[in-house]
Amino acid sequence: MHSAAHPLLDDVARHLDILLRTNEVPDYPGAMNGIQVEHDGPVTRCAVAVDASLQTIDAAIADGANLLVVHHGLFWGGTQPLRGRVFERVRRLLAHDVAVYASHLPLDLHPTVGNNALLARELALTPNAGFARFQSITIGVTGEADVATVSLAERCDDLARREGGHLVSVGVTPNRRTRRWAICTGSGASSDTLREASETGIDTLIVGEGPHHTAVEAVELGIAVLYTGHYATETFGVRALGQEIEHVFGVPWSFITAPTGL
Ligand SMILES: [Zn+2]
């Protein structure tokens, strides 16, 4: 469906909120899912990016976009005065009439446009259940396979390098096979996810990143962990939202590349 007129911001946001169940999915306070900055006019062009930053805001403005859709929004730092870089973000958005829409966990866990489901598809893995419990939801996915862990690691490294990063792994030995895997994108490695993996017989955990101690614990538990990059594992969801907005509203979109290498 393509509408002749450009949609209003509220129309686009309402569609995304329903699709993503923004009001039902719990999240961290800094996520502030939904419209974070509004504007008056219709949405004429959309830019999507993993992070809301000065770099992505400038790139969105340069692309002529007046809606920036992100996974990590403007408010992760908590309540802060509008000074310095925080002021500069807001100033540039308002000066160029660019709205911001953010979706964190609702976008991580969505079965068709979510980071976790899409990363599984990219790695040729088929999920059959949820993984990584958070309050009332599961953020990640899990499933069965019969694949050399080395070749799964190669797929992850290829994907990471396409997005400016590289794979870091533990527990990947030459003849090892992955039979039960789990994915949790972003900062998905923690003592909690490792415990959950261990308790449910998962032998390979694919994440974005995690603290050092998770690598130590994983070796003790006999779990291979593929740290594929926080950024690289979370580029899929916002791209899918760009496609969704174009498909439903006929608004052109572009992906803003801003890799951190992490
Ligand atoms: Zn993230």
Side-chain angles (χ1 to χ4, degrees):
M1 178 180 92
H2 286 243
S3 51
H6 293 301
L8 296 173
L9 176 63
D10 280 347
D11 297 332
V12 175
R14 194 176 306 112
H15 179 80
L16 295 182
D17 286 343
I18 291 167
L19 174 72
L20 297 164
R21 300 188 300 121
T22 301
N23 297 324
E24 297 153 56
V25 176
D27 211 324
Y28 302 92
M32 290 223 148
N33 296 316
I35 295 175
Q36 295 195 332
V37 177
E38 65 179 25
H39 65 193
D40 289 332
V43 177
T44 54
R45 187 175 177 87
C46 176
V48 307
V50 176
D51 299 280
S53 64
L54 286 176
Q55 186 186 353
T56 60
I57 290 165
D58 284 348
I61 292 165
D63 275 5
N66 70 347
L67 170 61
L68 176 60
V69 174
V70 295
H71 183 50
H72 306 133
L74 294 161
F75 302 111
W76 283 107
T79 308
Q80 293 187 56
L82 295 179
R83 300 188 65 186
R85 63 172 188 86
V86 180
F87 169 72
E88 208 36 53
R89 284 174 171 184
V90 175
R91 190 188 65 77
R92 291 183 203 179
L93 288 166
L94 299 185
H96 295 270
D97 205 28
V98 178
V100 176
Y101 181 96
S103 187
H104 183 239
L105 293 185
L107 186 57
D108 275 327
L109 60 77
H110 193 275
T112 59
V113 299
N115 285 317
N116 286 273
L118 291 175
L119 177 58
R121 194 175 77 180
E122 192 72 19
L123 296 172
L125 298 171
T126 306
N128 60 19
F131 175 77
R133 184 146 291 285
F134 174 79
Q135 298 179 18
S136 60
I137 55 164
T138 50
I139 299 167
V141 289
T142 181
E144 278 150 36
D146 187 10
V147 57
T149 308
V150 170
S151 76
L152 196 52
E154 275 169 17
R155 288 180 217 168
C156 288
D157 191 48
D158 289 347
L159 188 147
R161 286 179 191 280
R162 285 205 301 275
E163 305 295 347
H166 65 276
L167 176 74
V168 173
S169 64
V170 292
V172 181
T173 48
N175 297 318
R176 191 181 192 281
R177 293 195 78 75
T178 292
R179 297 213 157 78
R180 185 150 190 87
W181 55 268
I183 290 176
C184 188
T185 61
S187 51
S190 66
S191 294
D192 285 344
T193 54
L194 282 170
R195 188 182 311 110
E196 184 178 338
S198 176
E199 285 172 0
T200 53
I202 286 157
D203 56 68
T204 305
L205 180 58
I206 301 161
V207 299
E209 60 165 332
H212 170 78
H213 70 82
T214 60
V216 176
E217 293 172 26
V219 171
E220 291 178 341
L221 292 167
I223 296 170
V225 183
L226 308 179
Y227 301 89
T228 306
H230 193 132
Y231 179 84
T233 58
E234 297 192 330
T235 55
F236 303 98
V238 288
R239 281 187 171 111
L241 291 187
Q243 288 170 359
E244 174 76 12
I245 291 166
E246 176 165 39
H247 176 70
V248 175
F249 297 104
V251 172
W253 68 282
S254 52
F255 175 71
I256 308 288
T257 305
T260 55
L262 298 175

